[in-house]
Amino acid sequence: MIKNYLFLFALSFFIGSNLLAQPFLKVQGTTKQLYVENKPFLILAGELGNSSSSDINYMKPIWGKVKNLSANTILAPVYWELIEPEEGKFNFDLVNDLIVDARKNGVKLVFLWFGAWKNSMSCYAPIWVKTDQKRFPRAKDKNGISQEILSPFSKNSLNADINAFEALTGFIKKIDSKEQTVLMIQVENEIGMLPEARDHSDLANAAFKKPVPVQLLEYLKKNKTSLMPEFNASWSKNGSKTSGNWEEVFGTSLATDEIFMAWYYADFINKLTEAGKAKYNLPMYLNAALNYKKEAKPGEYPSAGPLPHILDIWKAAALSIDLFSPDFYNPDFKYWNDLYVRGGNTLFIPEIRFEQGVGAKAFYAIGHYDSMGFSPFSIENGDEKMNADISGAYKLLDQLKPLILQYQGKGMMNGVLFDKANSKQEVRLGDYIFSFSHDLNLGWSAKAKDEIWPITGGLIIQLTSDEFIIAGTGIVSTFKPLKENFKAGIAQVDEGNFIAGKWVSSLRLNGDQTHQGRHLRIPEGDYSIQKIKLYSYQ
């Protein structure tokens, strides 16, 4: 009897120690972290150009290039038209090869499902879908003209997308659940309606006349005090009604058209995501094409996507989506990130223009917003300066991963981001106030006279009440204690690296490097980690 018990105990221990949960999200403090092989993971990624992962031979030189940038993850499209060229006949050779090659190169993958929609359009749907408008109807404009957009009101389009997505996620589970090469899946890409705010097909018009779904009305009543202010204003403008059709509840406007369309996009996505997760329960997120200008009207941008002003609709309908993520091709980086961390949404930046300053933005997103990860677009096509920018940042962030993951969501980490118009920022951590500024504010460089300053930034992590890690590029910081009538002094500043998770100092910085004890500085163009200990005196 005792022998049987010991055998079963040993067997259960062996099984438990060798079975790993698939990648999953776990709350830490005010944020969520991605867990891979049961450990938190920081995504330092690059997204491929749209066509790069369509040919495994084209990919061969890209793996090494991405690794040289110190990226640990590639965001790679998977194309419906290639995995199901004939209805019901699937070919996953390309997906298999991508996973195998990623493992060989020690790189993780996030797959982007280019299914029913990519950048609003349905260009990646298979030809057997595109050419059968009777089975797979298109969205139409007010004049009844069909668009290159599958209508989300079509059950046939939904079921076809589900069949392909289920096949994909089932295949990934079959070949990768043990190795966990694939971390997450992006469901579709930058959903949104163009060139008008909503679909005007017969199916859409019939749905528009029906009562607003009870599920949405119940969500609005339950969350009335916590709705996003933009959406609450739109609802309350017409009296915050809780019954009626779309125009009766929300009024007659383009805003109502967008809200209506968002609900049915979100309902489609929720059903698709639920089906995919039933096969393999990976974290799944949705990305958004941001309004190119704040005053743009619905239809002038890809309207009804998961944008901040209608995110309540998406949260009400797309319950299976884990994250809503912004894609950045405009300069309002802080503005949009501030909107995307509201309501408990964890920030992940899956796509951002690959340009000067992208490294500084990575520091800021991870330091200030506890971002789960960061990913410049078309990572394989950067020039020498762009590559130096992102690799400089990623090399430091890779060293700092254990500390970042330890302190995310705990209020002991922050970030700064500067250009000429926004060149100063205060941060309060521990017993001190840090006055950060752009390095060119010192006036020591000829670049200080330039009309445009390079974007710089960094992050700061509190180790103790008076000891901190500061990393980044082109930043300067002075200090003062929280205690009144006291001054701050630098006990010591060391430049160094984290090697195998342990801090190794290389230079004790003082004299000219600290302006005779006045500041900590990382010059513009340099990338550095510095450890500083402060003291206060009267």
Side-chain angles (χ1 to χ4, degrees):
M1 193 75 176
I2 294 175
K3 287 182 179 178
N4 289 339
Y5 174 81
L6 291 173
F7 171 77
L8 291 173
F9 177 81
L11 179 63
S12 65
F13 178 81
F14 174 80
I15 292 173
S17 63
N18 285 276
L19 288 179
L20 297 174
Q22 75 281 345
F24 63 94
L25 302 182
K26 182 179 178 180
V27 174
Q28 176 169 284
T30 58
T31 193
K32 293 177 184 175
Q33 294 182 312
L34 174 66
Y35 271 65
V36 182
E37 297 180 356
N38 292 332
K39 296 180 292 186
F41 188 91
L42 183 67
I43 300 174
L44 303 176
E47 181 177 333
L48 298 176
N50 291 167
S51 300
S52 295
S53 59
S54 67
D55 182 85
I56 205 65
N57 290 315
Y58 188 87
M59 282 294 299
K60 285 181 179 178
I62 293 176
W63 298 105
K65 184 174 183 179
V66 171
K67 281 186 68 179
N68 287 339
L69 300 179
S70 295
N72 59 24
T73 305
I74 288 177
L75 275 63
V78 175
Y79 318 92
W80 187 6
E81 64 176 347
L82 293 186
I83 69 168
E84 194 183 8
E86 296 181 54
E87 187 171 5
K89 296 181 180 179
F90 295 100
N91 184 334
F92 292 110
D93 289 349
L94 183 58
V95 177
N96 181 79
D97 289 343
L98 286 169
I99 292 173
V100 169
D101 285 353
R103 288 178 194 156
K104 288 179 181 176
N105 287 278
V107 175
K108 299 293 187 180
L109 291 169
V110 171
F111 278 143
L112 317 179
W113 173 235
F114 286 6
W117 300 291
K118 194 274 177 187
N119 292 59
S120 300
M121 303 297 121
S122 298
C123 50
Y124 283 95
I127 190 65
W128 54 269
V129 171
K130 291 179 178 178
T131 55
D132 193 346
Q133 287 183 241
K134 186 175 182 180
R135 281 181 66 199
F136 308 107
R138 307 289 185 90
K140 294 184 177 181
D141 66 13
K142 289 178 182 177
N143 299 315
I145 298 174
S146 295
Q147 306 300 308
E148 188 70 79
I149 302 173
L150 291 173
S151 174
F153 299 91
S154 167
K155 291 183 179 179
N156 288 336
S157 295
L158 172 63
N159 290 334
D161 203 352
I162 284 176
N163 289 340
F165 196 53
E166 284 182 327
L168 172 64
T169 54
F171 178 79
I172 296 169
K173 180 178 182 179
K174 181 180 178 181
I175 69 164
D176 193 53
S177 58
K178 181 180 178 181
E179 289 83 356
Q180 299 191 14
T181 314
V182 181
L183 307 181
M184 298 199 297
I185 297 178
Q186 177 185 288
V187 186
E188 312 294 354
N189 187 86
E190 294 187 357
I191 289 169
M193 188 63 199
L194 292 169
E196 294 176 1
R198 75 168 180 89
D199 180 4
H200 290 271
S201 65
D202 290 342
L203 288 172
N205 289 338
F208 193 62
K209 295 174 184 177
K210 291 180 180 179
V212 174
V214 172
Q215 182 182 340
L216 174 55
L217 294 174
E218 289 299 316
Y219 176 91
L220 297 181
K221 287 187 284 186
K222 181 180 178 181
N223 297 281
K224 188 173 183 178
T225 60
S226 59
L227 295 172
M228 301 303 167
E230 306 92 336
F231 182 77
N232 196 22
S234 182
W235 180 38
S236 61
K237 186 177 181 180
N238 201 51
S240 301
K241 295 177 182 177
T242 56
S243 65
N245 65 26
W246 293 92
E247 288 190 327
E248 289 169 344
V249 172
F250 296 105
T252 302
S253 66
L254 289 176
T256 297
D257 289 351
E258 182 176 33
I259 290 168
F260 160 76
M261 198 68 188
W263 176 264
Y264 283 97
Y265 270 134
D267 182 61
F268 185 111
I269 292 300
N270 190 58
K271 290 170 181 172
L272 178 67
T273 306
E274 282 183 335
K277 284 189 171 186
K279 293 295 183 180
Y280 189 27
N281 191 20
L282 286 175
M284 297 191 188
Y285 71 93
L286 205 63
N287 65 330
L290 303 179
N291 311 9
Y292 66 94
K293 56 182 181 179
K294 298 184 184 77
E295 65 274 16
K297 297 177 181 179
E300 294 177 348
Y301 58 86
S303 67
L307 291 159
H309 65 285
I310 49 170
L311 207 56
D312 282 302
I313 297 291
W314 282 91
K315 290 172 70 175
L319 300 176
S320 56
I321 288 293
D322 296 294
L323 307 169
F324 298 99
S325 300
D327 288 352
F328 278 99
Y329 292 92
N330 62 47
D332 299 320
F333 191 68
K334 295 180 181 180
Y335 170 82
W336 289 104
N337 282 330
D338 285 344
L339 297 180
Y340 270 96
V341 294
R342 299 181 303 178
N345 187 53
T346 294
L347 185 66
F348 172 53
I349 299 177
E351 185 174 335
I352 185 168
R353 190 192 303 276
F354 198 6
E355 61 184 351
Q356 191 282 318
V358 75
K361 290 176 181 177
F363 285 118
Y364 185 65
I366 292 167
H368 185 69
Y369 296 104
D370 296 314
S371 180
M372 188 180 294
F374 190 88
S375 177
F377 175 67
S378 196
I379 193 73
E380 71 274 34
N381 294 316
D383 60 25
E384 186 176 348
K385 287 185 177 179
M386 292 155 62
N387 291 341
D389 189 8
I390 197 63
S391 65
Y394 276 5
K395 284 175 183 176
L396 301 190
L397 289 167
D398 183 61
Q399 294 180 49
L400 291 167
K401 277 189 305 186
L403 277 179
I404 290 169
L405 293 168
Q406 178 184 348
Y407 288 108
Q408 274 185 330
K410 296 181 179 180
M412 298 175 70
M413 181 169 65
N414 211 324
V416 294
L417 185 67
F418 300 124
D419 56 20
K420 192 168 187 176
N422 303 280
S423 65
K424 295 181 179 181
Q425 181 184 335
E426 278 194 353
V427 171
R428 294 189 176 208
L429 281 178
D431 293 338
Y432 295 89
I433 299 171
F434 292 78
S435 296
F436 283 97
S437 65
H438 196 298
D439 179 49
L440 295 185
N441 275 323
L442 293 174
W444 296 354
S445 168
K447 290 183 180 180
K449 297 180 180 179
D450 292 348
E451 185 177 345
I452 297 174
W453 286 1
I455 295 171
T456 65
L459 61 77
I460 176 171
I461 301 172
Q462 177 189 339
L463 302 179
T464 68
S465 61
D466 60 4
E467 196 168 18
F468 307 85
I469 292 289
I470 297 176
T473 179
I475 57 176
V476 178
S477 183
T478 58
F479 332 92
K480 61 181 179 181
L482 292 174
K483 292 187 294 185
E484 291 185 13
N485 302 319
F486 277 76
K487 294 182 178 180
I490 297 175
Q492 63 188 63
V493 181
D494 293 306
E495 185 177 56
N497 294 281
F498 284 91
I499 300 174
K502 293 184 178 181
W503 174 251
V504 178
S505 298
S506 56
L507 283 176
R508 171 60 55 86
L509 302 178
N510 209 329
D512 292 345
Q513 277 64 54
T514 64
H515 197 22
Q516 313 348 295
R518 294 184 181 94
H519 65 215
L520 176 147
R521 180 191 181 208
I522 303 174
E524 186 272 319
D526 290 354
Y527 295 82
S528 171
I529 302 175
Q530 297 183 19
K531 185 176 183 181
I532 183 168
K533 185 175 178 63
L534 300 174
Y535 70 95
S536 58
Y537 65 94
Q538 285 184 301

